[in-house]
Amino acid sequence: MREESHVIVLPFPGQGHITPMSQFCKRLASKGLKVTLVLVSDKPSPPYKTEHDDSFTVFPISNGYQEGEDPLQDLDEYMERVETSIKTCLPKLIEDMKLSGHLPRALVYDSTMPWLLDVAHSYGLSGAVFFTQPWLVSAIYYHVFKGSFSVPSTKYGHSTLASFPSFPMLNANDLPSFLCESSSYPNILRIVIDQLSNIDRVDIVLCNTFDKLEEKLLKWVQSLWPVLNIGPTVPSMYLDKRLSEDNNYGFSLFNAKVAECIDWLNTKQASSVVYVSFGSLVILSEDQMIELAAGLKQTRCFFLWVVRETEKDKIPKNYVEEVGEKGLIVSWSPQLDVLAHKSIGCFLTHCGWNSMIEGLSLGVPMIGMPHWTDQPTNAKFMKDVWKVGVRAKADGDGFVRREEIVRCVGEVMEGEKGKYIRKNAEKWKLLAREAVSEGGSSDKSIDEFVSMFC
Ligand code: UDX
């Protein structure tokens, strides 16, 4: 039997990780590399071929929890059970691949599971780490890991990272949140810093960013590691209407209300709607939800607001009836289709990296309302380096008032600053498209990756 080379891709089981890594799989498959996406899930099912093509198989495995158990109770235990499940299932998968003539050559693994490098090496596979966060964030974690960056002790304390020419002056509240709130989330802090713990031994380092976006950091990271920037992982059909490719709903943990959103947006004028989403994890306090609801109602714009099922009880009573046609609230949207819709004028976002790079790639001006993890740092760069939006000012405890929401929406949708932001957003949209087009920097990086294993 002829042996075909094959790579295994293993994201952390969260939407912000599954989305970019599954899109990366599609790109690899479209370039002729066989790929198996291992999806850790609470409802494992038999392996299946994707509609995309024969080169792309999905292999669901259990997260180690029985029905009725709550995986969200204890993060450490969750990570342990996922690790045990992967360490049980992966060897069998690798053996089966070898037997069927699909020689596994590399394991592309999520940076939040750095122990997978040794697993890859123990089976003779190359280890390729995939960062779903940008370099500007990983660089900070790396310096914290090395002990060469100390976090300012007060939120007014300024800090720079002297070795990074691209870094603006950062306040403590521009840094990834866990660095400053380490006492509240010690286990998450350990996970994010550990991402960089064995990077010096990794065979290939992949990142969902593109060279121009983090140009000044690129030289530095390339001097340390074998880096390939392969983003944005946004499907090319959204970047260039002439290209057709299947959309990304297949790997969503949530059910997108596609027709409801698009039919509603179709009734709205160009650039008249504010799209509001806080991604898959952020939990807002009830007071913040009430304030946001009031702010959106007071703006002069339409709004499409994603409120996940688990958050919906925080929407004020009778709110939906009160706002009427001015607003649509859904539990999950087809975000890329929404951002690409001509009626969208700006994106009020929590600044999760996928949302950031999607907004940026589709040329949508943004209002940053970061909540935790890498989001404050992404927001800082969005506003001050790429200049594609504004950041909502928060009170000392992180609370954003309704007046501030109204002010930000006005500034981006109607003000002079909005015009400047839109021009920059358009520039980044073109640069993102250029990176993934044939011969662009990310396209070449993907070719390089494929050529190593084909
Ligand atoms: C998490 C972290 O919060 C983020 O900071 C980190 O960079 C990645 O992991 P999440 O909070 O879910 O992710 O945000 P984000 O990174 O923006 O990812 C959300 C994904 O869900 C995006 O790809 C977005 O397009 C998609 N989405 C979101 C939908 O398809 N529909 C929705 O209604 C909302």
Side-chain angles (χ1 to χ4, degrees), residues 12 14-17 19-20 132-134 137 248-249 252 254-257 261 275-282 305-308 330-336 338-339 347 349-358 372-376 378:
F12 179 78
Q15 192 63 58
H17 300 252
T19 299
T132 58
Q133 78 219 357
V137 171
N248 68 338
Y249 309 133
S252 184
F254 303 85
N255 254 335
K257 308 286 176 211
C261 292
Y275 172 57
V276 187
S277 164
F278 289 83
S280 63
L281 298 170
V282 165
W305 184 9
V306 178
V307 180
R308 297 189 315 275
V330 293
S331 57
W332 194 252
S333 81
Q335 182 157 302
L336 287 168
V338 169
L339 289 174
F347 180 14
T349 168
H350 69 311
C351 303
W353 182 241
N354 294 289
S355 294
M356 288 266 80
I357 201 163
E358 288 164 5
W372 68 340
T373 182
D374 56 345
Q375 296 151 19
N378 298 337

Side-chain angles (χ1 to χ4, degrees), residues 24 64 80 188 200 286 311 352 368 416 446:
F24 179 60
E80 253 171 54
I188 308 189
D200 296 335
E286 188 160 356
E311 294 278 278
E416 271 308 302
I446 295 175

Side-chain angles (χ1 to χ4, degrees), residues 379-437:
K380 172 74 178 171
F381 273 67
M382 180 273 284
K383 172 177 168 282
D384 290 344
V385 178
W386 305 314
K387 300 180 176 15
V388 292
V390 300
R391 178 172 172 177
K393 288 191 190 72
D395 295 349
D397 53 0
F399 190 78
V400 177
R401 299 194 174 277
R402 64 190 71 183
E403 299 78 20
E404 177 62 3
I405 288 158
V406 176
R407 188 191 70 76
C408 288
V409 170
E411 194 166 18
V412 175
M413 296 286 274
E414 296 160 6
E416 271 308 302
K417 197 164 180 182
K419 288 188 195 147
Y420 171 73
I421 287 172
R422 258 191 295 284
K423 218 168 113 201
N424 283 328
E426 203 53 40
K427 179 187 94 179
W428 285 110
K429 174 180 166 176
L430 296 177
L431 290 172
R433 183 192 297 185
E434 197 179 284
V436 293
S437 301

Side-chain angles (χ1 to χ4, degrees), residues 150-273:
S150 41
V151 177
S153 53
T154 72
K155 78 185 168 85
Y156 300 107
H158 291 303
S159 184
T160 47
L161 293 160
S163 47
F164 305 148
S166 60
F167 268 67
M169 188 81 94
L170 300 175
N171 281 325
N173 65 359
D174 298 324
L175 290 168
S177 66
F178 305 129
L179 300 183
C180 311
E181 300 162 357
S182 51
S183 53
S184 328
Y185 302 100
N187 46 8
I188 308 189
L189 177 66
R190 202 186 53 243
I191 292 168
V192 295
I193 302 299
D194 264 5
Q195 294 179 93
L196 281 302
S197 58
N198 59 6
I199 188 168
D200 296 335
R201 295 195 288 118
V202 167
D203 302 303
I204 302 160
V205 181
L206 302 162
C207 184
N208 183 19
T209 186
F210 55 99
D211 290 359
K212 285 250 167 74
L213 189 61
E214 300 194 81
E215 200 164 31
K216 292 186 180 144
L217 261 182
L218 188 65
K219 272 206 182 95
W220 181 77
V221 294
Q222 281 179 333
S223 72
L224 292 175
W225 308 300
V227 168
L228 293 175
N229 287 334
I230 49 77
T233 54
V234 172
S236 38
M237 63 175 277
Y238 292 100
L239 303 174
D240 187 338
K241 293 263 179 302
R242 290 165 303 183
L243 297 173
S244 67
E245 199 179 310
D246 56 350
N247 57 39
N248 68 338
Y249 309 133
F251 304 103
S252 184
L253 302 172
F254 303 85
N255 254 335
K257 308 286 176 211
V258 183
E260 199 178 342
C261 292
I262 302 303
D263 289 350
W264 187 80
L265 290 175
N266 283 343
T267 65
K268 303 292 174 274
Q269 284 185 352
S271 305
S272 63
V273 180

